[in-house]
Amino acid sequence: MKALISVDMEGISGIVHSSETNPERYDYQRGRELMTAEANAVIAGVLDAEPTADVLVADAHGTFRNLLPEQLDRRARLVRGKPRALNMLAGLDEDTDAALFVGYHVRAGEGPGVLAHTMNGEILDVRVTGRAPDEDARGTGHAPGEDVRITGRSLGEIGLNAAMAGHLGVPVVLLSGDDAACAEAADLIPQAVTVPVKEALGMAAAVTLHPEEARDRLRRAAADAVSRRREIPPLSLTGPLDVEVDLASPHTIDLATLVPGVLRTAGARAVAFTAPDYGTAYRLILLLAQLATIRPT
């Protein structure tokens, strides 16, 4: 049995502020330790259920160099650093039996959600947003730079990554984060096990479990989720897919339209493209997020 554990940072218990997730801020080392400890709890749970499992852990926050290798459970292998194929899901392939998302956060523009954003690359104040193609979804109050919509459905990092796993036939069996992230996951994958480790009060505030309590719950939940993996279907988005992404920076729009097949849409804040399958759509969305990190010279 092969499992991929993708570990983000904003949804870790005890973490509520960017000072705990940003390498340049004073509380980052503490955030790394909390992140690594929750990863270890999930590794332990997977191996409780499947003692001979091959466990890969993908560091999936910011620089992808946050988890402390020397403190990670030695029974797992760590994927770290960037750039890399599949981004937050590096190491995932068709032979993977289950994906587990740890420390994830709600999509931008939703909430309250702790440190909510969507596919921002390495610049925390860049957001990607989309407009629904139907009239019922217009006028939702979302600000530019907050979301992605694929064939009319809004997806953040949870949905985008779960659909990429589904494209490879892999179910997402567990997700942890704040209560808003867990609700987002439950809407997309009702059968998945969700573990709310904190209750969001706002962008930088939450009622959080004690880290040891969160780890105990994660270990039990990971074992349960892996044991029930055959009951949880992959999230599948079949092509062709129409994709609209609304980008916060006009400069990024200019760069995006240099990519073949990517067109500026009405309103001058969005670009659109059609992808033959979800794998192609996912890679183009990642490219747009990287273009958003380039500033005019």
Coordinates of all heavy atoms in Angstrom, one line a residue, residues 171-260:
P171 N -7.9 8.5 -4.3 CA -8.9 9.2 -3.4 C -8.2 10.0 -2.3 O -7.1 9.6 -1.8 CB -9.7 8.0 -2.8 CG -8.7 6.9 -2.8 CD -7.8 7.1 -4.0
V172 N -8.7 11.1 -2.0 CA -8.3 11.8 -0.8 C -9.1 11.3 0.3 O -10.3 11.5 0.4 CB -8.5 13.4 -1.0 CG1 -8.1 14.1 0.3 CG2 -7.6 13.9 -2.1
V173 N -8.5 10.7 1.3 CA -9.2 10.0 2.3 C -9.3 10.7 3.6 O -10.1 10.4 4.5 CB -8.6 8.6 2.6 CG1 -8.6 7.7 1.3 CG2 -7.2 8.6 3.1
L174 N -8.4 11.7 3.8 CA -8.4 12.5 5.0 C -8.0 13.9 4.8 O -7.1 14.2 3.9 CB -7.4 11.9 6.0 CG -7.2 12.6 7.4 CD1 -7.2 11.7 8.5 CD2 -5.9 13.5 7.3
L175 N -8.6 14.9 5.5 CA -8.2 16.3 5.5 C -8.3 16.8 6.9 O -9.3 16.6 7.6 CB -9.0 17.1 4.5 CG -8.6 18.6 4.5 CD1 -8.5 19.1 3.1 CD2 -9.5 19.5 5.3
S176 N -7.2 17.6 7.3 CA -7.3 18.3 8.5 C -7.0 19.8 8.3 O -6.4 20.2 7.3 CB -6.2 17.7 9.5 OG -4.9 18.1 9.1
G177 N -7.5 20.6 9.2 CA -7.4 22.0 9.1 C -8.4 22.7 10.1 O -8.9 22.0 11.0
D178 N -8.8 23.9 9.8 CA -9.8 24.5 10.6 C -11.2 24.0 10.2 O -11.3 23.2 9.2 CB -9.7 26.0 10.7 CG -10.0 26.7 9.3 OD1 -10.6 26.1 8.4 OD2 -9.6 27.9 9.1
D179 N -12.2 24.4 10.9 CA -13.5 23.9 10.6 C -14.0 24.3 9.2 O -14.7 23.6 8.6 CB -14.5 24.4 11.7 CG -14.6 25.9 11.9 OD1 -13.5 26.6 11.6 OD2 -15.6 26.4 12.3
A180 N -13.6 25.5 8.7 CA -14.0 25.9 7.4 C -13.4 25.1 6.3 O -14.0 24.7 5.3 CB -13.6 27.4 7.2
A181 N -12.1 24.7 6.5 CA -11.4 23.8 5.5 C -12.1 22.5 5.5 O -12.3 21.9 4.5 CB -9.9 23.7 5.9
C182 N -12.4 22.0 6.7 CA -13.1 20.7 6.8 C -14.4 20.7 6.1 O -14.8 19.7 5.4 CB -13.2 20.2 8.2 SG -11.6 19.8 9.0
A183 N -15.2 21.8 6.2 CA -16.5 21.9 5.6 C -16.3 21.9 4.1 O -17.1 21.3 3.3 CB -17.2 23.1 6.1
E184 N -15.3 22.7 3.6 CA -15.0 22.7 2.2 C -14.7 21.3 1.6 O -15.2 20.9 0.6 CB -13.9 23.7 1.9 CG -13.6 23.9 0.4 CD -12.5 24.9 0.2 OE1 -12.5 25.9 0.9 OE2 -11.7 24.7 -0.7
A185 N -13.9 20.6 2.4 CA -13.6 19.2 1.9 C -14.8 18.3 1.9 O -15.0 17.5 1.0 CB -12.5 18.6 2.8
A186 N -15.6 18.4 3.0 CA -16.8 17.6 3.1 C -17.8 17.8 1.9 O -18.5 16.9 1.5 CB -17.5 17.8 4.4
D187 N -17.8 19.1 1.5 CA -18.7 19.4 0.3 C -18.2 18.7 -0.9 O -19.0 18.3 -1.8 CB -18.8 20.9 0.2 CG -19.7 21.3 -1.0 OD1 -20.9 20.9 -0.9 OD2 -19.2 22.0 -1.9
L188 N -16.9 18.6 -1.1 CA -16.3 18.1 -2.3 C -16.2 16.5 -2.3 O -16.4 15.8 -3.2 CB -14.9 18.6 -2.6 CG -14.9 20.1 -2.9 CD1 -13.5 20.7 -2.8 CD2 -15.4 20.3 -4.4
I189 N -15.8 16.0 -1.1 CA -15.6 14.6 -0.9 C -16.3 14.2 0.4 O -15.7 14.0 1.4 CB -14.1 14.3 -0.8 CG1 -13.3 15.1 -1.8 CG2 -13.8 12.8 -1.0 CD1 -11.8 15.3 -1.4
P190 N -17.6 13.9 0.3 CA -18.4 13.6 1.5 C -17.9 12.4 2.3 O -18.0 12.4 3.5 CB -19.8 13.4 1.0 CG -19.8 14.1 -0.3 CD -18.5 14.0 -0.9
Q191 N -17.3 11.5 1.6 CA -16.9 10.2 2.3 C -15.6 10.3 3.0 O -15.2 9.5 3.8 CB -16.8 9.1 1.3 CG -18.1 8.8 0.6 CD -18.3 9.6 -0.7 OE1 -17.6 10.6 -0.9 NE2 -19.1 9.1 -1.6
A192 N -14.8 11.4 2.7 CA -13.5 11.5 3.4 C -13.6 11.8 4.8 O -14.6 12.4 5.3 CB -12.7 12.7 2.7
V193 N -12.6 11.4 5.6 CA -12.5 11.7 7.0 C -11.9 13.1 7.2 O -10.9 13.5 6.6 CB -11.6 10.7 7.7 CG1 -11.5 11.0 9.2 CG2 -12.2 9.3 7.6
T194 N -12.6 14.0 8.0 CA -12.1 15.3 8.2 C -11.8 15.5 9.7 O -12.5 14.9 10.6 CB -13.1 16.4 7.8 OG1 -14.4 16.2 8.4 CG2 -13.3 16.3 6.3
V195 N -10.7 16.2 10.0 CA -10.3 16.4 11.4 C -10.2 17.9 11.6 O -9.1 18.5 11.3 CB -9.0 15.7 11.7 CG1 -8.7 15.8 13.2 CG2 -9.1 14.2 11.3
P196 N -11.2 18.6 12.2 CA -11.0 20.0 12.5 C -10.2 20.2 13.8 O -10.5 19.7 14.9 CB -12.4 20.5 12.7 CG -13.2 19.3 13.1 CD -12.5 18.1 12.5
V197 N -9.0 20.8 13.6 CA -8.1 21.0 14.8 C -8.2 22.4 15.4 O -7.6 22.7 16.4 CB -6.6 20.7 14.4 CG1 -6.5 19.3 13.9 CG2 -6.2 21.7 13.3
K198 N -9.1 23.2 14.8 CA -9.3 24.5 15.3 C -10.6 25.1 14.7 O -11.0 24.7 13.6 CB -8.2 25.5 15.1 CG -7.7 25.6 13.7 CD -6.3 26.3 13.6 CE -5.8 26.3 12.2 NZ -4.4 26.8 12.1
E199 N -11.2 26.0 15.4 CA -12.4 26.7 15.0 C -12.0 28.1 14.6 O -11.6 28.9 15.4 CB -13.5 26.7 16.1 CG -14.7 27.5 15.7 CD -15.7 27.6 16.8 OE1 -15.4 27.0 17.9 OE2 -16.7 28.4 16.7
A200 N -12.2 28.4 13.3 CA -11.7 29.8 12.8 C -12.6 30.9 13.4 O -13.9 30.8 13.3 CB -11.7 29.8 11.3
L201 N -12.0 31.9 13.9 CA -12.7 33.1 14.3 C -12.5 34.2 13.3 O -13.2 35.2 13.3 CB -12.3 33.5 15.7 CG -12.5 32.5 16.8 CD1 -11.9 33.1 18.1 CD2 -13.9 32.2 17.0
G202 N -11.5 34.1 12.5 CA -11.2 35.1 11.5 C -9.9 34.7 10.7 O -9.4 33.6 10.8
M203 N -9.4 35.7 10.0 CA -8.2 35.4 9.2 C -7.0 35.1 10.1 O -6.1 34.3 9.6 CB -7.9 36.7 8.3 CG -6.8 36.5 7.3 SD -7.2 35.3 6.0 CE -5.8 35.5 4.9
A204 N -6.9 35.6 11.3 CA -5.7 35.4 12.1 C -6.2 35.1 13.6 O -5.5 35.5 14.5 CB -4.8 36.6 12.1
A205 N -7.3 34.4 13.7 CA -7.7 34.0 15.1 C -8.5 32.7 15.0 O -9.2 32.5 14.1 CB -8.6 35.2 15.6
A206 N -8.4 31.9 16.1 CA -9.1 30.7 16.1 C -9.1 30.2 17.6 O -8.3 30.6 18.4 CB -8.4 29.6 15.3
V207 N -10.1 29.3 17.8 CA -10.1 28.5 19.0 C -9.5 27.2 18.6 O -10.0 26.4 17.8 CB -11.5 28.3 19.6 CG1 -11.5 27.4 20.8 CG2 -12.2 29.6 19.8
T208 N -8.3 26.8 19.2 CA -7.6 25.7 18.7 C -7.4 24.6 19.8 O -7.4 24.9 21.0 CB -6.2 26.2 18.3 OG1 -5.4 25.1 17.8 CG2 -5.4 26.8 19.4
L209 N -7.4 23.4 19.3 CA -7.1 22.2 20.2 C -5.7 22.3 20.7 O -4.8 22.9 20.1 CB -7.3 20.9 19.5 CG -8.6 20.5 19.0 CD1 -8.6 19.2 18.2 CD2 -9.6 20.4 20.1
H210 N -5.4 21.7 21.9 CA -4.1 21.5 22.3 C -3.3 20.7 21.2 O -3.9 19.7 20.7 CB -4.0 20.8 23.7 CG -2.7 20.8 24.3 ND1 -1.7 19.9 23.8 CD2 -2.1 21.5 25.3 CE1 -0.6 20.1 24.6 NE2 -0.8 21.1 25.4
P211 N -2.1 21.0 20.9 CA -1.4 20.3 19.8 C -1.4 18.8 20.1 O -1.5 18.0 19.1 CB 0.0 20.9 19.8 CG -0.2 22.3 20.3 CD -1.3 22.2 21.3
E212 N -1.2 18.3 21.3 CA -1.2 16.9 21.6 C -2.5 16.2 21.4 O -2.6 15.1 20.9 CB -0.7 16.6 23.0 CG 0.8 17.0 23.2 CD 1.3 16.7 24.6 OE1 0.5 16.2 25.4 OE2 2.5 17.0 24.9
E213 N -3.6 16.9 21.7 CA -4.9 16.4 21.5 C -5.2 16.3 20.0 O -5.7 15.3 19.5 CB -6.0 17.3 22.1 CG -7.4 16.9 21.8 CD -7.8 15.5 22.3 OE1 -7.2 15.0 23.3 OE2 -8.8 15.0 21.8
A214 N -4.8 17.3 19.2 CA -4.9 17.3 17.8 C -4.2 16.1 17.2 O -4.7 15.4 16.3 CB -4.4 18.6 17.2
R215 N -3.0 15.9 17.6 CA -2.2 14.8 17.1 C -2.8 13.4 17.4 O -2.8 12.5 16.6 CB -0.7 14.8 17.7 CG 0.0 16.0 17.2 CD 1.3 16.2 18.0 NE 1.7 17.6 18.0 CZ 2.5 18.2 18.9 NH1 2.9 17.5 19.9 NH2 2.8 19.5 18.8
D216 N -3.4 13.3 18.6 CA -4.1 12.0 18.9 C -5.2 11.8 18.0 O -5.4 10.7 17.5 CB -4.6 12.1 20.4 CG -3.4 12.0 21.4 OD1 -2.3 11.6 21.0 OD2 -3.7 12.3 22.6
R217 N -6.0 12.8 17.8 CA -7.2 12.7 16.9 C -6.7 12.4 15.4 O -7.3 11.6 14.7 CB -8.0 14.0 16.9 CG -8.6 14.2 18.2 CD -9.6 15.4 18.2 NE -10.1 15.8 19.5 CZ -11.0 16.7 19.7 NH1 -11.6 17.3 18.7 NH2 -11.4 17.0 21.0
L218 N -5.6 13.0 15.0 CA -5.1 12.8 13.6 C -4.6 11.4 13.5 O -4.9 10.8 12.4 CB -4.0 13.8 13.3 CG -4.4 15.2 13.0 CD1 -3.2 16.2 13.0 CD2 -5.1 15.2 11.6
R219 N -4.0 10.9 14.5 CA -3.5 9.5 14.3 C -4.6 8.5 14.2 O -4.6 7.6 13.3 CB -2.6 9.1 15.6 CG -2.0 7.7 15.5 CD -0.9 7.5 16.5 NE -0.3 6.2 16.4 CZ 0.8 5.8 17.0 NH1 1.4 6.6 17.8 NH2 1.3 4.6 16.8
R220 N -5.6 8.6 15.1 CA -6.8 7.7 15.0 C -7.5 7.9 13.6 O -7.9 6.9 13.0 CB -7.7 8.0 16.1 CG -7.1 7.6 17.5 CD -8.2 7.6 18.6 NE -8.8 8.9 18.7 CZ -8.4 9.8 19.6 NH1 -7.4 9.6 20.4 NH2 -9.0 11.0 19.7
A221 N -7.7 9.1 13.2 CA -8.4 9.4 12.0 C -7.7 8.9 10.8 O -8.3 8.4 9.8 CB -8.7 10.9 11.9
A222 N -6.3 9.0 10.7 CA -5.6 8.6 9.6 C -5.7 7.0 9.5 O -5.8 6.5 8.4 CB -4.1 9.0 9.8
A223 N -5.6 6.3 10.6 CA -5.7 4.9 10.6 C -7.1 4.5 10.0 O -7.3 3.6 9.2 CB -5.5 4.3 12.0
D224 N -8.2 5.2 10.5 CA -9.5 4.9 10.0 C -9.7 5.2 8.6 O -10.2 4.4 7.8 CB -10.5 5.7 10.9 CG -11.9 5.6 10.4 OD1 -12.4 4.4 10.2 OD2 -12.6 6.6 10.2
A225 N -9.1 6.4 8.1 CA -9.3 6.8 6.7 C -8.6 5.8 5.8 O -9.1 5.4 4.7 CB -8.7 8.2 6.5
V226 N -7.4 5.4 6.1 CA -6.7 4.4 5.3 C -7.4 3.1 5.2 O -7.4 2.4 4.2 CB -5.2 4.3 5.8 CG1 -4.5 3.1 5.1 CG2 -4.4 5.6 5.5
S227 N -7.9 2.7 6.4 CA -8.6 1.4 6.4 C -9.9 1.4 5.5 O -10.3 0.4 5.0 CB -9.1 1.1 7.8 OG -7.9 0.9 8.7
R228 N -10.5 2.6 5.3 CA -11.7 2.7 4.5 C -11.4 3.3 3.1 O -12.4 3.8 2.5 CB -12.7 3.6 5.3 CG -13.2 3.0 6.6 CD -14.4 3.7 7.1 NE -14.3 5.1 7.5 CZ -14.7 6.1 6.8 NH1 -15.4 5.9 5.6 NH2 -14.6 7.3 7.2
R229 N -10.2 3.3 2.7 CA -9.8 4.0 1.4 C -10.6 3.4 0.2 O -10.9 4.2 -0.7 CB -8.3 3.9 1.2 CG -7.8 2.4 1.0 CD -6.3 2.4 0.9 NE -5.8 1.1 0.6 CZ -5.5 0.2 1.6 NH1 -5.7 0.5 2.9 NH2 -5.0 -1.0 1.3
R230 N -11.0 2.2 0.2 CA -11.7 1.6 -0.9 C -13.2 2.1 -1.0 O -13.8 1.9 -2.0 CB -11.6 0.1 -0.9 CG -10.2 -0.4 -1.1 CD -10.2 -2.0 -1.0 NE -8.8 -2.4 -1.2 CZ -8.0 -2.6 -0.2 NH1 -8.4 -2.3 1.1 NH2 -6.7 -3.1 -0.3
E231 N -13.6 2.7 0.1 CA -15.0 3.2 0.1 C -15.1 4.7 -0.3 O -16.2 5.2 -0.4 CB -15.6 3.1 1.6 CG -15.5 1.7 2.1 CD -15.8 1.7 3.6 OE1 -16.4 2.7 4.1 OE2 -15.5 0.7 4.3
I232 N -14.0 5.3 -0.5 CA -13.9 6.7 -0.8 C -13.5 6.9 -2.3 O -12.4 6.6 -2.7 CB -12.9 7.5 0.1 CG1 -13.3 7.2 1.6 CG2 -12.9 8.9 -0.2 CD1 -12.3 7.7 2.6
P233 N -14.5 7.4 -3.1 CA -14.2 7.6 -4.5 C -13.2 8.8 -4.8 O -13.3 9.8 -4.1 CB -15.5 7.8 -5.1 CG -16.3 8.4 -4.1 CD -15.8 7.8 -2.8
P234 N -12.4 8.7 -5.8 CA -11.6 9.9 -6.2 C -12.5 11.0 -6.7 O -13.6 10.7 -7.2 CB -10.7 9.3 -7.3 CG -10.7 7.8 -7.2 CD -12.1 7.5 -6.6
L235 N -12.1 12.2 -6.5 CA -12.8 13.4 -7.1 C -12.5 13.5 -8.5 O -11.3 13.7 -8.9 CB -12.4 14.7 -6.3 CG -13.1 16.0 -6.8 CD1 -14.6 15.9 -6.7 CD2 -12.5 17.2 -6.1
S236 N -13.4 13.3 -9.4 CA -13.1 13.3 -10.8 C -13.8 14.4 -11.6 O -15.0 14.7 -11.4 CB -13.7 12.0 -11.4 OG -13.5 11.9 -12.8
L237 N -13.0 15.2 -12.3 CA -13.5 16.2 -13.2 C -13.0 15.9 -14.6 O -11.9 15.9 -15.0 CB -12.9 17.6 -12.8 CG -13.3 18.1 -11.5 CD1 -12.6 19.5 -11.2 CD2 -14.8 18.4 -11.4
T238 N -14.0 15.4 -15.4 CA -13.6 14.9 -16.8 C -13.6 16.1 -17.8 O -14.4 17.0 -17.7 CB -14.6 13.9 -17.2 OG1 -16.0 14.4 -17.2 CG2 -14.6 12.6 -16.3
G239 N -12.7 16.0 -18.7 CA -12.6 17.0 -19.7 C -13.5 16.8 -20.9 O -14.2 15.8 -21.1
P240 N -13.5 17.8 -21.9 CA -12.7 19.1 -21.8 C -13.3 20.0 -20.7 O -14.4 20.0 -20.4 CB -12.8 19.7 -23.2 CG -14.1 19.1 -23.7 CD -14.3 17.8 -23.1
L241 N -12.4 20.8 -20.2 CA -12.7 21.7 -19.1 C -12.5 23.2 -19.5 O -11.5 23.5 -20.0 CB -11.9 21.4 -17.8 CG -12.1 20.1 -17.2 CD1 -11.0 19.8 -16.2 CD2 -13.4 20.0 -16.5
D242 N -13.5 24.0 -19.2 CA -13.4 25.5 -19.4 C -12.9 26.1 -18.1 O -13.5 25.8 -17.0 CB -14.7 26.1 -19.8 CG -15.1 25.6 -21.2 OD1 -14.3 25.4 -22.1 OD2 -16.3 25.4 -21.4
V243 N -11.8 26.8 -18.1 CA -11.3 27.4 -16.9 C -11.2 28.9 -17.0 O -10.7 29.4 -18.0 CB -9.9 26.8 -16.6 CG1 -9.3 27.3 -15.3 CG2 -9.9 25.3 -16.6
E244 N -11.6 29.6 -16.0 CA -11.4 31.0 -15.9 C -10.7 31.3 -14.6 O -11.0 30.8 -13.5 CB -12.8 31.7 -15.8 CG -13.4 31.9 -17.2 CD -14.7 32.8 -17.0 OE1 -15.7 32.3 -16.5 OE2 -14.6 34.0 -17.5
V245 N -9.7 32.2 -14.7 CA -8.9 32.6 -13.5 C -8.8 34.1 -13.5 O -8.4 34.7 -14.5 CB -7.5 32.0 -13.5 CG1 -6.7 32.4 -12.3 CG2 -7.5 30.5 -13.7
D246 N -9.3 34.7 -12.4 CA -9.2 36.2 -12.3 C -8.0 36.5 -11.4 O -7.9 36.0 -10.3 CB -10.5 36.7 -11.6 CG -10.5 38.2 -11.6 OD1 -9.7 38.8 -12.2 OD2 -11.5 38.7 -11.0
L247 N -7.0 37.2 -12.0 CA -5.8 37.5 -11.4 C -5.7 38.9 -10.8 O -6.2 39.9 -11.5 CB -4.6 37.3 -12.4 CG -4.5 35.8 -12.8 CD1 -3.7 35.7 -14.1 CD2 -3.8 35.0 -11.8
A248 N -5.1 39.1 -9.7 CA -5.1 40.4 -9.0 C -4.2 41.4 -9.7 O -4.5 42.6 -9.7 CB -4.6 40.2 -7.6
S249 N -3.2 41.0 -10.4 CA -2.2 42.0 -11.0 C -2.4 42.1 -12.5 O -2.4 41.1 -13.2 CB -0.8 41.5 -10.7 OG 0.1 42.2 -11.5
P250 N -2.6 43.3 -13.0 CA -2.7 43.4 -14.5 C -1.4 42.9 -15.2 O -1.5 42.5 -16.3 CB -2.9 44.9 -14.7 CG -3.5 45.4 -13.4 CD -2.9 44.5 -12.3
H251 N -0.3 43.1 -14.5 CA 1.0 42.6 -15.1 C 0.9 41.1 -15.3 O 1.4 40.6 -16.4 CB 2.1 43.0 -14.2 CG 3.5 42.5 -14.7 ND1 4.0 43.0 -15.9 CD2 4.4 41.6 -14.2 CE1 5.2 42.4 -16.1 NE2 5.4 41.6 -15.1
T252 N 0.3 40.4 -14.4 CA 0.2 38.9 -14.5 C -0.7 38.6 -15.7 O -0.5 37.6 -16.4 CB -0.3 38.3 -13.2 OG1 0.5 38.7 -12.1 CG2 -0.3 36.8 -13.3
I253 N -1.8 39.3 -15.9 CA -2.7 39.1 -17.0 C -1.9 39.2 -18.3 O -2.0 38.4 -19.2 CB -3.8 40.2 -17.0 CG1 -4.7 40.0 -15.8 CG2 -4.6 40.0 -18.3 CD1 -5.6 38.8 -15.8
D254 N -1.0 40.3 -18.4 CA -0.2 40.5 -19.6 C 0.7 39.3 -19.9 O 0.8 38.8 -21.0 CB 0.6 41.7 -19.5 CG -0.2 43.0 -19.4 OD1 -1.4 43.0 -19.9 OD2 0.3 44.0 -18.9
L255 N 1.3 38.8 -18.8 CA 2.2 37.6 -19.0 C 1.4 36.3 -19.3 O 1.8 35.5 -20.1 CB 3.0 37.3 -17.6 CG 4.0 38.4 -17.3 CD1 4.6 38.1 -15.9 CD2 5.1 38.4 -18.3
A256 N 0.2 36.2 -18.7 CA -0.6 35.0 -18.9 C -1.0 34.8 -20.3 O -1.1 33.7 -20.9 CB -1.8 35.0 -18.0
T257 N -1.3 36.0 -21.0 CA -1.8 35.9 -22.4 C -0.7 35.5 -23.4 O -1.0 35.3 -24.5 CB -2.5 37.2 -22.8 OG1 -1.6 38.3 -22.6 CG2 -3.7 37.4 -22.0
L258 N 0.5 35.5 -22.9 CA 1.6 35.0 -23.7 C 1.6 33.5 -23.8 O 2.3 32.9 -24.7 CB 3.0 35.5 -23.2 CG 3.2 37.0 -23.2 CD1 4.6 37.3 -22.5 CD2 3.1 37.6 -24.5
V259 N 0.9 32.8 -23.0 CA 0.8 31.3 -23.0 C -0.2 30.9 -24.0 O -1.3 31.4 -24.0 CB 0.4 30.8 -21.6 CG1 0.3 29.3 -21.6 CG2 1.4 31.3 -20.5
P260 N 0.2 30.1 -25.0 CA -0.7 29.7 -26.0 C -2.0 29.1 -25.5 O -2.0 28.3 -24.5 CB 0.0 28.6 -26.8 CG 1.5 28.9 -26.6 CD 1.5 29.5 -25.2

